[in-house]
Amino acid sequence: MHPPRTFSQAASSHFATKPEQLLCGMVVLANVGAWVWAACLLGTSPLLLGTAGLAWVFGLRHGLDADHIVAIDTVTRKLMLSGRPASRVGLFFSLGHSSVVIAATLLLALLPVRGVLEQWHLIGGVFGTVVSGSFMGLAVIANIWMAAQQWHALKQHQPAPALGPGGSVCSPLGWVVRPFFSLIGRAWHMYPLGFIFGLGFDTASEISLLGMTTLQAAQGVGVLGVLSLPLLFTSAMALVDTLDTVLMCRVYAWRGQAEGRRAIYNLVITLISLGAAAAVAVVELGPLVWGDGSFGTLSQSISFISEHFSAVGGCILAVFLTVWAVARLLQKRAPSQI
């Protein structure tokens, strides 16, 4: 009878480099294709090309938003624990998110629906925020359960149980996290989640405004020319989210030779995920609870963080990569120590 696989062993069993290199290459080619499309349809006008560049930068920036980073990283680890391919998690999430942007731009280009979209921004914003915040809340619970399991296994000098489709969740908290881990069983399941996240319309309204500006600044560009803007946004966000997924696959798949060190590493990664998910949940759900700003400094702090969500996401990713780099460095210097 084979011993149960640890977290890192379950992750490493399906981690492959060539498919991820091919995926990254395809996303890079998609960005090149989007720029070729924009150059052909928008011409050489500095104003139009500048607008296209702004749409592309918006995509890069939005791909680093903290809710993107936490959602992608959480699902990536879940799929790897289940022994399923995870390299396309970020790609499907970004495609679902960008579908809202593309739909909004087409509606503005073809129909006079600006007022309707502004009203939907209020409704969809609340709906998308509630879903996103609730997902983060479930991620917090799941990480608490996982951290408790890993801490118990570490104290008992045993490998932490992997949580897959047949994973053991006998505790009351385990029964709570079971639906969370059953919700997304394939990478493509991230598409509808990304779509719902995008209903907030924060970036969709920005790209839609760019589309209207293009139509007003250069009559004759046409719908295809305007469509180049959300395509640039989509390709840029897909690039960032895909790279995030690939990097996190490497972080989660790292295997130290010493069992004790590997267990500590997995626990630290889980605690970082827990803290990041909790912070994002507070930032997203907080304004719905105290929207009048009655909590003073706390409300102001949450508002400030929300305005710099991309920087927060970048910091979260940097922390993950730093822990991974330190673990690899320690492994090289003392490979046999526990």
Side-chain angles (χ1 to χ4, degrees):
M1 183 175 179
H2 296 287
R5 295 188 303 172
T6 64
F7 171 79
S8 295
Q9 290 171 335
S12 300
S13 62
H14 83 277
F15 178 75
T17 303
K18 290 185 178 179
E20 291 170 354
Q21 290 177 343
L22 179 61
L23 178 63
C24 292
M26 292 175 61
V27 175
V28 170
L29 287 177
N31 276 264
V32 174
W35 271 109
V36 171
W37 175 302
C40 292
L41 294 175
L42 300 181
T44 58
S45 169
L47 176 62
L48 298 180
L49 292 179
T51 303
L54 191 57
W56 191 73
V57 171
F58 276 164
L60 294 177
R61 184 192 67 182
H62 194 61
L64 280 175
D65 275 4
D67 56 343
H68 280 230
I69 299 297
V70 174
I72 291 171
D73 295 351
T74 300
V75 174
T76 296
R77 180 167 54 159
K78 184 267 176 185
L79 293 182
M80 295 182 74
L81 280 169
S82 303
R84 291 172 177 167
S87 58
R88 293 176 295 173
V89 166
L91 176 61
F92 280 112
F93 183 85
S94 61
L95 291 178
H97 198 89
S98 300
S99 295
V100 180
V101 178
I102 295 174
T105 304
L106 285 175
L107 286 174
L108 284 174
L110 299 174
L111 300 172
V113 293
R114 182 176 181 181
V116 176
L117 289 179
E118 290 177 349
Q119 295 177 0
W120 174 251
H121 172 64
L122 300 177
I123 301 174
V126 175
F127 178 73
T129 300
V130 169
V131 172
S132 176
S134 300
F135 182 87
M136 297 301 161
L138 288 174
V140 170
I141 297 174
N143 279 292
I144 290 175
W145 182 91
M146 192 177 300
Q149 296 293 312
Q150 291 172 344
W151 173 249
H152 177 74
L154 182 62
K155 290 195 302 181
Q156 300 297 325
H157 301 286
Q158 297 175 353
L163 181 58
S168 175
V169 284
C170 299
S171 65
L173 193 58
W175 285 106
V176 175
V177 303
R178 181 185 288 275
F180 172 77
F181 279 92
S182 301
L183 181 63
I184 299 178
R186 297 288 189 275
W188 68 267
H189 292 169
M190 286 294 282
Y191 181 90
L193 182 65
F195 186 89
I196 295 175
F197 270 47
L199 291 178
F201 254 35
D202 292 332
T203 52
S205 59
E206 294 174 345
I207 302 303
S208 300
L209 179 61
L210 289 175
M212 294 183 64
T213 302
T214 302
L215 286 174
Q216 295 173 356
Q219 297 296 328
V221 170
V223 176
L224 293 179
V226 175
L227 192 60
S228 64
L229 300 176
L231 290 180
L232 284 167
F233 175 86
T234 299
S235 62
M237 186 164 60
L239 177 62
V240 174
D241 287 346
T242 299
L243 290 176
D244 173 31
T245 306
V246 171
L247 288 174
M248 294 313 299
C249 282
R250 291 182 177 272
V251 170
Y252 293 145
W254 179 81
R255 295 180 61 185
Q257 294 178 4
E259 183 66 35
R261 179 182 296 159
R262 183 164 61 241
I264 295 174
Y265 171 82
N266 292 335
L267 178 60
V268 170
I269 290 295
T270 300
L271 292 176
I272 295 173
S273 299
L274 169 60
V280 173
V282 170
V283 171
E284 293 195 328
L285 297 179
L288 298 179
V289 178
W290 52 77
D292 57 354
S294 57
F295 282 76
T297 304
L298 178 60
S299 298
Q300 295 176 3
S301 300
I302 290 177
S303 177
F304 177 82
I305 295 174
S306 180
E307 293 174 358
H308 299 83
F309 233 24
S310 299
V312 174
C315 291
I316 293 172
L317 186 59
V319 171
F320 276 118
L321 295 178
T322 299
V323 172
W324 175 50
V326 171
R328 288 176 61 88
L329 180 61
L330 292 176
Q331 178 65 32
K332 289 182 178 179
R333 290 189 173 184
S336 60
Q337 293 182 7
I338 296 179

